[in-house]
Amino acid sequence: GAQDPITVYKAKNHQGNHWLRIMPLTQFGGPARGALVTITYANGDVDVRVVDAGSGYLCQMEPVVHFGLGKSTAVPQKIMVKWPDRQSVVMTE
């Protein structure tokens, strides 16, 4: 739900391109699979990702959403996580 923690990662050493990784966690510390993560930039552009474990035999993907920011150093204006139970939390700049 909306009280669940969010982990935001920032690149400390990069090769010119920037990225943002977000890993929403449940109240029990597990990955919030099915959560919808939306970031909004100052220019109004919006990117959306879903926390997904993937599918396949004996494998799964890392439950982290990755946003490639390219050469931009601008911090997203807003990050919203909509949890599978339809509650949401918004973080602003």
Side-chain angles (χ1 to χ4, degrees):
Q3 301 303 324
D4 296 334
I6 297 173
T7 303
V8 177
Y9 297 89
K10 181 180 177 188
K12 293 181 180 179
N13 184 9
H14 52 82
Q15 300 298 317
N17 287 324
H18 303 276
W19 45 267
L20 179 66
R21 289 167 46 94
I22 302 173
M23 184 169 71
L25 301 174
T26 68
Q27 65 187 7
F28 305 107
R33 289 179 175 87
L36 187 71
V37 181
T38 304
I39 61 173
T40 305
Y41 303 95
N43 67 1
D45 287 350
V46 175
D47 279 330
V48 180
R49 304 283 188 279
V50 175
V51 179
D52 183 15
S55 62
Y57 180 69
L58 298 177
C59 67
Q60 68 179 17
M61 296 180 336
E62 182 180 32
V64 173
V65 293
H66 178 101
F67 296 92
L69 305 177
K71 301 291 183 193
S72 174
T73 58
V75 175
Q77 191 173 31
K78 180 172 75 169
I79 299 172
M80 181 177 75
V81 177
K82 188 171 187 179
W83 305 96
D85 65 4
R86 300 197 185 269
Q87 293 186 40
S88 61
V89 63
V90 175
M91 296 169 39
T92 57
E93 183 180 0

